[in-house]
Amino acid sequence: MLNEIKKDAQTRMAKSVEALRHDLVKVRTGRASAGLVDTIRVNYYGSDMPLSQVASVAVTDARSLTITPWEKQMVAAVEKAILASDLGLTPNTAGTVIRLNLPALTEERRKELSKHVHGEGEDAKVAIRNIRRDANSQVKELLKEKKVTEDEATRSEAEIQKITDSAIKDVDEVVKAKEQELMAV
């Protein structure tokens, strides 16, 4: 019973760290990345589809992406979706090829993005601490129902704290790596 609680907590914390990694892919650094447009959804015959399912996305050089819709009539819909996204990029269209040029980041913008990354990291830490709280309350509930001894409960809470510390360390590493990537010129 206690092992299930610890395993569940560990799995949920790992998912929180993974979600943070996924969210930080969207934060634009100075380099082009196909992951930058992963969150864009395009209206495809009345239903919203991920951009990657209606077009091919390629990194042409360090500062530009090329998006080629598979159907010629989708060019306008893809352009519209890019303009509506929170990327702040203007698409340049030549025939059926859409180019996204990424401007160089200013020092001020880098610091702003760094603060945003830090905030995302804090949110992930809060989520991890909430998972710890849930796990500890489950352990306390078992103790109250006399399904575990006090020693087992104390030991489990200590192990849950170790799992939490490890997950928070992972979050710090992810945030630090992204901040270094942002500050690299």
Side-chain angles (χ1 to χ4, degrees), residues 15 17 22 31 46 48 64 86 89 91 96 100 123 131 141 144 154 168 172 183:
K15 284 181 182 172
V17 174
H22 181 72
R31 284 179 231 94
D48 281 349
S64 62
D86 59 354
L89 297 174
T96 58
L100 290 178
D123 291 346
I131 294 166
E141 192 63 37
K144 201 162 83 177
T154 305
I168 285 180
D172 286 339
M183 289 305 171

Side-chain angles (χ1 to χ4, degrees), residues 129-146:
R129 290 184 193 113
N130 287 339
I131 294 166
R132 175 189 62 191
R133 186 195 61 222
D134 293 346
N136 282 340
S137 66
Q138 288 175 329
V139 169
K140 285 183 174 115
E141 192 63 37
L142 289 176
L143 181 62
K144 201 162 83 177
E145 294 170 4
K146 300 210 184 305

Side-chain angles (χ1 to χ4, degrees), residues 27-31 105 109-110 113-115 117 177-185:
V27 176
R28 185 160 56 100
T29 58
R31 284 179 231 94
L105 294 175
R109 182 72 178 135
R110 286 177 198 274
L113 288 172
S114 183
K115 282 181 186 172
V117 166
K178 189 64 177 187
E179 284 178 338
Q180 285 176 341
E181 190 181 328
L182 276 170
M183 289 305 171
V185 178

Side-chain angles (χ1 to χ4, degrees), residues 17-70:
V17 174
E18 210 42 55
L20 173 68
R21 276 194 185 99
H22 181 72
D23 288 347
L24 292 184
V25 167
K26 295 182 283 188
V27 176
R28 185 160 56 100
T29 58
R31 284 179 231 94
S33 158
L36 202 58
V37 294
D38 279 350
T39 57
I40 296 178
R41 301 192 66 79
V42 179
N43 185 341
Y44 184 73
Y45 299 111
S47 61
D48 281 349
M49 303 286 285
L51 179 64
S52 60
Q53 291 183 12
V54 296
S56 64
V57 180
V59 178
T60 41
D61 59 53
R63 294 215 185 281
S64 62
L65 288 174
T66 306
I67 301 167
T68 312
W70 291 318

Side-chain angles (χ1 to χ4, degrees), residues 154-180:
T154 305
R155 205 172 310 116
S156 289
E157 286 176 358
E159 289 173 21
I160 290 168
Q161 184 59 47
K162 281 183 189 166
I163 294 167
T164 303
D165 292 343
S166 171
I168 285 180
K169 185 174 161 242
D170 291 347
V171 166
D172 286 339
E173 287 171 5
V174 169
V175 167
K176 185 178 179 193
K178 189 64 177 187
E179 284 178 338
Q180 285 176 341

